[in-house]
């Protein structure tokens, strides 16, 4: 039996950040083990070389610049001068055109007739008419943007990405979406320029020479033999905190999906019931060698006759790259002879009742000396910068170093 102070399950951004932060806080590296099922670290943020250039195998990944603490941490492994800075160009394909995202801030880019159609839609929306906000996501879409925009854009796009009817999704996460008021939309049409809050990644960083995965690969290498790859969670003895019959720890930190715990441990029935309510959307990432004639870094595709929901034009952000890759909910993918990467756990789905179920799971875990972190430990649609920020805070909490400075 190998005894450790901390055992971290999963070497994605969350697990890697936590391991390094614990070491930084004075925990000896030998006191930490990170168990990872894949051959390299990085999780959804891994990259591979395809057709002579990097391809991010978990989908398009860009580093947001908003959190200084996160950037300081990441630049320790890949200094700032190894990153290129971009002003985000993201497009939506609608009515045979490409306009900038978010739609409500960029209706002015359509011909006047189309602007009128979509303005009419928003003018008739429930939020403009003072109706109370509904609780399901599908109803919220119509309430926010009106019937026409819901039917042409938001409902089909969301059916594609989640592989679930938007009726089954809650609205508690919508603060993450760009919020543009009707007044701002009107003004943007009149003045012919975008208005309102811009979405995440207004500017972003991407490695100059590599894919996004390089920084997480380096973090894994820097852990030396504290990182054990090719080691999937198989069994957990909850009482003794022993994993796979081999590693024992005072604290287990899990960044792997809770659904993996169903097979591995004898969970109380109430926890099993909660875990079984959690839903994830799988995605396939497919490489296409043709280079598209568009300035876009990524483009949203709501048309349901096209399987993918987003195209990533790597020729516009990765060095010496041609072609693009697409992200398709795996339940909609067609068989291919091309290069494809499958990600079973890509998006945690924000189903109704999820926050309460996750809170109960985490509460139970705490009583067993287990902490859940990251995209799957919290079952939250968090970006990698948020995952890093959370792991930095968890390290402070675990080592008693208190609140953020
Ligand atoms: C399509 C897409 C686009 C995205 N775009 C961006 C973006 O532009 N910018 C951004 O910052 N973020 C983006 N993200 C989010 C980003 O991928 C996550 O925030 C980040 O990967 C979360 O890190 P994590 O460590 O919590 O989870 P993960 O990266 O999922 O890591 C979990 C780790 O656990 C391992 N694991 C799983 N099961 C087991 C098991 N049974 N045993 C052992 N190990 C296991 C996995 O192999 C993985 O290494 C995107 C995500 C997707 C899906």
């Amino acid at each position: 039996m190998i005894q450790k102070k901390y055992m971290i399950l999963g070497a994605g951004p969350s697990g890697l950040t936590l391991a390094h932060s614990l070491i930084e806080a004075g925990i000896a590296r030998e006191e930490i083990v990170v168990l990872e099922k894949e051959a390299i670290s990085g999780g959804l943020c891994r990259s591979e070389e395809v057709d002579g250039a990097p391809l991010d195998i978990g989908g398009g990944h860009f580093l947001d610049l908003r959190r200084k603490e996160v950037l300081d941490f990441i630049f320790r492994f890949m200094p700032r001068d190894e990153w290129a800075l971009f002003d985000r160009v993201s497009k939506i394909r609608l009515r045979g055109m490409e306009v900038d995202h978010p739609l409500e801030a960029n209706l002015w880019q359509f011909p006047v007739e189309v602007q009128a159609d979509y303005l009419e839609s928003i003018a008739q929306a429930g939020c403009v008419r003072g109706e109370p906000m509904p609780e399901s996501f599908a109803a919220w879409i119509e309430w926010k943007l009106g019937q026409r925009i819901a039917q042409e854009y938001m409902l089909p796009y969301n059916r594609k990405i989640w592989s679930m009817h938007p009726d089954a999704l809650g609205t508690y996460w919508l603060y993450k979406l760009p919020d543009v008021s009707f007044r701002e939309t009107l003004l943007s049409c009149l003045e012919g320029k975008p208005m309102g809050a811009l979405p995440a990644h207004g500017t972003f960083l991407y490695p100059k020479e590599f894919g996004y995965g390089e920084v997480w690969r380096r973090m894994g290498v820097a852990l030396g033999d504290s990182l054990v790859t090719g080691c999937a969670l198989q069994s957990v003895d909850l009482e003794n905190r022993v994993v796979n019959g081999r590693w024992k720890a005072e604290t287990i930190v899990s960044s792997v999906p809770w659904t993996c715990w169903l097979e591995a441990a004898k969970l109380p029935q109430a926890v099993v019931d909660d875990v079984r309510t959690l839903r994830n959307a799988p995605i396939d990432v497919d490489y296409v060698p043709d280079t598209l004639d568009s300035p876009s870094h990524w483009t949203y595709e709501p048309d349901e006759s096209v399987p993918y929901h987003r195209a990533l034009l790597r020729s516009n952000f990765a060095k010496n790259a041609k072609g693009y890759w697409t992200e398709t909910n795996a339940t909609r993918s067609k068989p291919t002879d091309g290069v494809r990467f499958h990600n079973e756990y890509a998006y945690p789905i924000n189903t109704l009742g999820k926050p309460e179920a996750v809170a109960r799971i985490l509460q139970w875990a705490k009583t067993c000396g287990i902490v859940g972190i990251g995209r799957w430990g919290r079952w939250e649609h968090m970006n990698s910068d948020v995952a890093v920020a959370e792991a930095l805070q968890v390290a402070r909490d675990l080592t008693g170093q208190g609140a953020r400075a």
Side-chain angles (χ1 to χ4, degrees):
M1 188 75 60
I2 305 171
Q3 188 122 11
K4 300 284 176 183
K5 193 167 173 61
Y6 293 105
M7 181 175 352
I8 300 170
L9 305 178
S14 300
L16 291 166
T17 304
L18 181 66
H20 280 289
S21 309
L22 290 172
I23 294 166
E24 183 88 338
I27 308 291
R29 193 161 65 79
E30 299 69 39
E31 289 289 332
I32 299 169
V33 66
V34 183
L35 305 182
E36 166 56 50
K37 80 174 161 71
E38 299 292 341
I40 63 160
S41 57
L44 281 168
C45 297
R46 283 171 296 148
S47 308
E48 289 202 9
E49 188 171 304
V50 173
D51 204 6
L55 189 148
D56 298 336
I57 67 175
H61 278 81
F62 308 95
L63 179 59
D64 204 289
L65 285 126
R66 277 174 299 183
R67 293 178 170 77
K68 180 177 181 312
E69 179 187 45
V70 169
L71 296 178
D72 289 345
F73 173 76
I74 287 179
F75 292 161
R76 278 171 44 198
F77 301 90
M78 185 181 272
R80 172 67 185 85
D81 62 7
E82 290 195 53
W83 298 81
L85 178 67
F86 294 89
D87 288 326
R88 164 184 173 142
V89 183
S90 59
K91 304 271 185 191
I92 307 162
R93 284 192 196 127
L94 265 183
R95 297 207 186 181
M97 284 184 63
E98 280 192 357
V99 295
D100 286 321
H101 175 269
L103 185 71
E104 312 90 282
N106 293 293
L107 288 185
W108 60 277
Q109 295 175 359
F110 283 110
V112 169
E113 279 298 305
V114 182
Q115 289 184 37
D117 282 351
Y118 290 150
L119 281 172
E120 198 171 51
S121 176
I122 303 177
Q124 291 167 355
C127 72
V128 175
R129 292 188 290 136
E131 290 171 11
M133 185 172 128
E135 276 185 22
S136 100
F137 181 46
W140 179 88
I141 289 173
E142 264 198 37
W143 174 83
K144 179 75 183 155
L145 296 167
Q147 220 174 29
R148 191 186 292 265
I149 297 182
Q151 275 166 12
E152 289 187 26
Y153 168 39
M154 286 290 275
L155 285 172
Y157 182 78
N158 280 285
R159 281 195 293 264
K160 285 176 80 171
I161 191 169
W162 306 117
S163 64
M164 188 176 260
H165 195 279
D167 253 343
L169 271 57
T171 49
Y172 50 84
W173 55 284
L174 297 178
Y175 66 92
K176 295 186 179 184
L177 299 185
D179 186 18
V180 183
S181 70
F182 180 42
R183 184 184 174 80
E184 286 165 329
T185 304
L186 269 179
L187 282 172
S188 85
C189 287
L190 289 168
E191 295 187 17
K193 61 178 191 190
M195 293 268 176
L198 289 175
H201 302 324
T203 53
F204 64 82
L205 296 173
Y206 192 82
K208 287 179 185 165
E209 300 284 338
F210 305 97
Y212 192 59
E214 175 63 11
V215 65
W216 315 102
R217 188 196 67 77
R218 291 185 193 177
M219 272 186 215
V221 170
L223 286 174
D225 55 15
S226 288
L227 170 63
V228 182
T229 53
C231 181
L233 176 70
Q234 277 162 351
S235 67
V236 188
D237 167 354
L238 287 172
E239 206 173 314
N240 299 301
R241 282 192 292 278
V242 173
V243 166
N244 293 1
R246 179 140 194 241
W247 286 276
K248 181 174 167 63
E250 287 172 31
T251 302
I252 298 177
V253 182
S254 176
S255 71
V256 307
W258 285 110
T259 39
C260 300
W261 284 73
L262 288 174
E263 291 286 301
K266 270 198 170 17
L267 307 179
Q269 191 55 44
V271 177
V272 171
D273 293 343
D274 276 331
V275 172
R276 288 208 169 121
T277 66
L278 302 177
R279 294 283 175 275
N280 55 289
I283 63 162
D284 286 335
V285 170
D286 291 298
Y287 173 62
V288 186
D290 311 317
T291 299
L292 297 177
D293 181 20
S294 164
S296 188
H297 297 118
W298 65 91
T299 301
Y300 300 101
E301 177 55 87
D303 181 348
E304 283 178 287
S305 67
V306 177
Y308 67 82
H309 55 264
R310 193 164 77 132
L312 280 297
L313 285 71
R314 71 171 187 174
S315 53
N316 291 334
F317 58 84
K319 191 177 174 197
N320 295 332
K322 61 172 188 148
Y324 63 100
W325 71 79
T326 59
E327 297 168 359
T328 309
N329 185 299
T331 62
R332 298 173 51 87
S333 284
K334 307 255 183 289
T336 177
D337 294 331
V339 178
R340 167 171 289 172
F341 299 93
H342 176 74
N343 302 276
E344 189 57 28
Y345 287 89
Y347 300 110
I349 304 185
N350 289 316
T351 44
L352 292 162
K354 184 208 74 174
E356 295 78 11
V358 172
R360 286 190 295 268
I361 294 167
L362 291 174
Q363 188 57 39
W364 159 80
K366 201 171 166 188
T367 64
C368 304
I370 300 163
V371 180
I373 62 166
R375 194 163 173 98
W376 305 107
R378 308 267 167 166
W379 217 268
E380 269 217 21
H381 197 156
M382 58 174 80
N383 270 347
S384 59
D385 58 314
V386 179
V388 168
E390 186 211 37
L392 292 172
Q393 182 59 43
V394 170
R396 283 190 285 263
D397 294 343
L398 288 173
T399 55
Q401 296 191 359
R404 185 176 281 117

